[in-house]
Each structure stands twice: as structure tokens, then as C-alpha cells.
Amino acid sequence: MITLKDIKQAQWDLYVGLLTIEQKDSLLIQWYAPDCYFNPIQDLNDNWVISVEEMANCVNEEFIWVKDLPLIIYEPKPTPPPFN
Amino acid sequence: MIIGKAISPFGIKRRNGTANDADAQAFITASGISGTEATAINTLVVNLKSANIWTKMKCIYPFVGNTASMQKWNLKDARDLDAAYRLVFSGGGTFSANGYQPNGTNAYANTFLTPSTAYSVASSGHMSYYSRTDSNGANEREIGSLTGTVYSDLALRYSNTVHMRWGETSAPITAASANSIGFYVGSRTTSNTLKIFKNGTQILISGNLAAGLPSVPFFIGCLNLSNSPSFYSAKQCAFASIGDGLSDAEALAFYNAVQTFNTTLSRQV
């Protein structure tokens, strides 16, 4: 399992932290740093994930466990054209 | 009896004895910036007012300081309120002296500015974005408020294309975009005239009609599609604004003021 400790900052955009459904629900409308809120999204395989930046920059003690989330390669979900 | 000095309504005085502009000082106090950043903000406000652009702005985000708590403020109304269009950041954006860096994955800022309530007509409006990044992702958009029927969005470069819509109901008029580094101003000045300026030079004109105003707030760093953030951008933002439509001359004066501002901060492109 790859975690935050195993990657360099230059690799952050390649990975995301994998959440369970319960973990995703717990992060909704919660801050990870002053004036910054978590934003879980779904990837190509419908996994719930957060960005490595949210994990690395989290200072909210209640959610400090995000720093230990397993990392997976980010595969974005295809987005339909925005009304054009 | 000791008689104290009168307290200036303009707050802190600069070293040369000249008080900062009151709007600039309110922003400086709220954001906690100082030194060159504070000086640059004051000059920016003075220049925008001198060019008669200030009153056409609803929100101005200079993205100074290096934390979300410093970069969230609206220069036009430096109150910590949704009603003041103060930003709320979500997802993995990062903050530095060079501005706000959305990550292209899940980062954006909510402006709380909803076109259908902030504007009385759809025939005048602008959006601006100072991009320090050249990126060309097919799904990147920089500012947007869209419902299922009305679209207002600004996209600097996706699939080698640039476009802006303001209150439109159809596909955008596009132009080629080979590089997304620079200051983009998209401005609608009549119901059937919309232009995009890059670094003060017109790069697109559209005759698409403005037919309405979206009822969801603008997001910066992505589109707000009916209250769902989508089409995340990876373009670092060193300035953004939303307001009324700007004439060609005003767009050029706006570029000059913003470029001077970012040059003072050594982050110009």
C-alpha cells in the first residue's frame, strides 16, 4: 500500500487518497485547514477520493487520519460537455 | 488635561505620510498583508478608481498573502461574509505569493456571487482571470456559473480553445488558444456583443445573445454546474474579478492596472 510518506511532492497530482463511504460522509462540510474545506469526489471507478494536497495540508486534529489514507493513481471520471 | 491626537478614518498611515485609500486599507487590515503587498494593493485601488473601473467591479480577488485566510478576501468589500463575496475554498488548492493554485482535480473557490441576484440585466458583465499557467486540459474551465438553461463561463485554454459566455443559452463562440499565460478579460457590453481581451488585446468577438442570468454562484477554478463543481482547472490565478461590462478602453486600462500590480509583486507574466 502506498501512502503519503512514500511519494514526493512532484508526484502529488498523480495520486489521490482512497476513502470508504463512511469516511467520505464524515468529511463533508468539514475543514482541513483554516478557510479550506474537504471536497471528496468520485474517480473513474466510482471510488471516493480526496486530493493529496488535502491530506498533506490537513491540520484539523479530528481528521488527521486522512494523512494515512492509502493512495491510488487518479483516474478522472469523464465529464460530459457543459451544455455546448 | 491631555488631548490625544485624532484618529484618522483611513487607518494606518504610510511612511511618506499619505494615508492609504480607505477601501485598500480595509482590505489590508482584513487580510493581514503588509509591506510590498499592501503598497501594491493601495496602488491598484487608486489606479482602478482613476480609470473609472472601480465602480464596475462587484468582486476583485487579488490573491495576495500565502494562506487561504489571506487570499479569501474581496477587495471591493472586505467583510468576512458570503454577502460580501468573500471566497470559500474547497479541495486541494494551494496558496503562495504567486497566487491561488487550483490542482485540476477537486479544488475551487465559491464566490457566493449569483448572477440572477447580483445583476439586473444580462447585457453587461465581465469576468477576468490572470493565469500564470499554460495548460490545455480538455476539461479545464476557470470561472463559471451554469444552470441547465443559462451559461456564464470563462475558459482560457481547453483543447486549444478559448471562450466566454455571459447569460447565453447555446454553444459558445470560440477562438484558437495556443497558450493560456496572461490576463484574460471577457466582457459583454450589449445583448449581442461579447469580447475577450488577452493582455489588453482583443482575441475574440461573439454575437451570441444574452438571454438570462444563471441562478447559481460563480465558482473560480472550475464551473458551477447547477451547484455541482465540475471541469476543474490547473491554472494558477494571480488575480480574478467579476463585474459589469468593460469597454475596449476600460479593458486595456484594467490590464495596465493589474499588470502593474503583479509586476510590483514580481509575479507578472
Side-chain angles (χ1 to χ4, degrees):
Chain A
M1 181 180 79
I2 302 173
T3 67
L4 195 55
K5 299 187 293 289
D6 302 316
I7 64 170
K8 298 175 180 175
Q9 190 163 350
Q11 298 173 292
W12 282 10
D13 60 345
L14 299 176
Y15 293 92
V16 286
L18 180 63
L19 300 165
T20 65
I21 297 288
E22 292 74 21
Q23 289 172 328
K24 180 267 293 183
D25 290 341
S26 74
L27 296 182
L28 297 176
I29 322 177
Q30 301 292 337
W31 61 273
Y32 66 89
D35 294 304
C36 293
Y37 291 80
F38 288 109
N39 182 25
I41 59 171
Q42 285 187 292
D43 72 0
L44 178 64
N45 301 307
D46 288 332
N47 296 308
W48 284 100
V49 298
I50 57 172
S51 67
V52 174
E53 289 89 351
E54 290 160 277
M55 298 167 59
N57 296 324
C58 180
V59 294
N60 184 340
E61 288 297 328
E62 186 178 353
F63 303 105
I64 212 72
W65 49 263
V66 299
K67 292 180 181 294
D68 298 318
L69 288 172
L71 298 180
I72 59 174
I73 297 288
Y74 179 51
E75 298 178 274
K77 187 186 282 289
T79 311
F83 314 126
N84 64 1
Chain B
M1 185 174 70
I2 298 173
I3 301 173
K5 288 183 179 178
I7 298 172
S8 166
F10 299 105
I12 300 166
K13 286 193 173 184
R14 295 161 67 193
R15 284 182 185 171
N16 63 8
T18 306
N20 281 335
D21 173 276
D23 291 308
Q25 187 57 54
F27 178 90
I28 291 164
T29 301
S31 61
I33 60 170
S34 60
T36 302
E37 290 184 321
T39 302
I41 285 292
N42 187 63
T43 302
L44 174 66
V45 173
V46 169
N47 288 345
L48 293 177
K49 290 183 175 180
S50 175
N52 296 317
I53 300 171
W54 177 259
T55 55
K56 297 200 166 190
M57 301 288 156
K58 294 187 185 298
C59 51
I60 301 172
Y61 304 111
F63 295 113
V64 285
N66 57 7
T67 67
S69 300
M70 299 173 86
Q71 295 196 359
K72 69 181 182 179
W73 302 95
N74 173 11
L75 180 55
K76 279 284 293 193
D77 185 348
R79 295 176 297 158
D80 197 359
L81 299 170
D82 296 351
Y85 308 142
R86 172 267 297 117
L87 297 173
V88 168
F89 296 98
S90 292
T94 51
F95 309 88
S96 73
N98 285 332
Y100 170 54
Q101 176 69 69
N103 61 1
T105 301
N106 72 340
Y108 70 97
N110 187 349
T111 67
F112 296 93
L113 192 161
T114 300
S116 63
T117 56
Y119 290 82
S120 57
V121 295
S123 58
S124 176
H126 92 267
M127 291 180 265
S128 79
Y129 196 102
Y130 194 106
S131 167
R132 300 187 72 255
T133 306
D134 180 27
S135 60
N136 191 33
N139 290 328
E140 281 190 79
R141 307 291 189 272
E142 279 62 53
I143 304 178
S145 163
L146 294 84
T147 64
T149 54
V150 185
Y151 324 133
S152 293
D153 57 344
L154 177 64
L156 312 186
R157 189 180 185 211
Y158 63 98
S159 304
N160 293 312
T161 296
V162 59
H163 85 244
M164 177 197 173
R165 290 180 287 193
W166 186 273
E168 298 174 23
T169 58
S170 60
I173 301 297
T174 63
S177 179
N179 184 301
S180 61
I181 294 176
F183 183 49
Y184 290 76
V185 178
S187 175
R188 175 176 288 289
T189 51
T190 73
S191 60
N192 63 351
T193 307
L194 181 150
K195 297 176 180 177
I196 299 178
F197 303 88
K198 180 177 182 180
N199 298 337
T201 300
Q202 182 183 315
I203 60 170
L204 178 149
I205 184 166
S206 166
N208 277 1
L209 283 173
L213 292 162
S215 57
V216 296
F218 280 109
F219 288 172
I220 294 175
C222 74
L223 298 183
N224 180 356
L225 295 182
S226 299
N227 287 318
S228 178
S230 306
F231 291 78
Y232 295 100
S233 172
K235 295 177 178 65
Q236 187 176 49
C237 186
F239 185 94
S241 67
I242 301 168
D244 298 335
L246 303 174
S247 69
D248 295 14
E250 289 169 337
L252 178 59
F254 191 26
Y255 164 69
N256 288 332
V258 173
Q259 188 67 0
T260 297
F261 168 71
N262 277 330
T263 300
T264 301
L265 299 178
S266 301
R267 62 182 194 180
Q268 79 281 3
V269 293

